[in-house]
Amino acid sequence: HAPVFETDRPKTVRLRLKAGDEVPAHSHPGFAIVFHVVTGRMELALDGATHEVAAGELLRFGGDRDISPRAPVDSTAVLVFAPAVDD
């Protein structure tokens, strides 16, 4: 993990995973998340359903969901955590 900007709102993180690495299931309540795969591909589990995300693709989802990214190959993603807005 590496921050992209020095400010914390919106928080932006670079996530590098080696082939076979994964991040345990967790959530980020209060945030909307943009998950953009820059290189490689990732399998992103959202509430138990797995979504394949290839380089150049992105997903947007609420941070209250359980997420767990896994890299079948060496991969890099950029995640943006923006404060959620109540409708």
Side-chain angles (χ1 to χ4, degrees):
H1 294 80
V4 176
F5 301 110
E6 293 182 17
T7 59
D8 64 348
R9 301 278 176 166
K11 182 177 182 178
T12 305
V13 174
R14 180 186 67 219
L15 175 64
R16 285 188 180 168
L17 297 178
K18 293 185 179 185
D21 286 351
E22 66 183 288
V23 177
H26 63 286
S27 63
H28 298 276
F31 290 93
I33 301 171
V34 173
F35 182 90
H36 177 226
V37 176
V38 178
T39 63
R41 70 180 190 278
M42 293 204 189
E43 297 166 349
L44 183 65
L46 288 172
D47 293 333
T50 302
H51 304 270
E52 291 230 2
V53 188
E57 297 179 334
L58 62 87
L59 291 177
R60 180 178 175 266
F61 52 91
D64 56 332
R65 299 179 72 179
D66 282 337
I67 64 170
S68 177
R70 180 185 176 284
V73 298
D74 291 354
S75 303
T76 301
V78 172
L79 290 84
V80 178
F81 300 83
V85 177
D86 293 330
D87 291 333

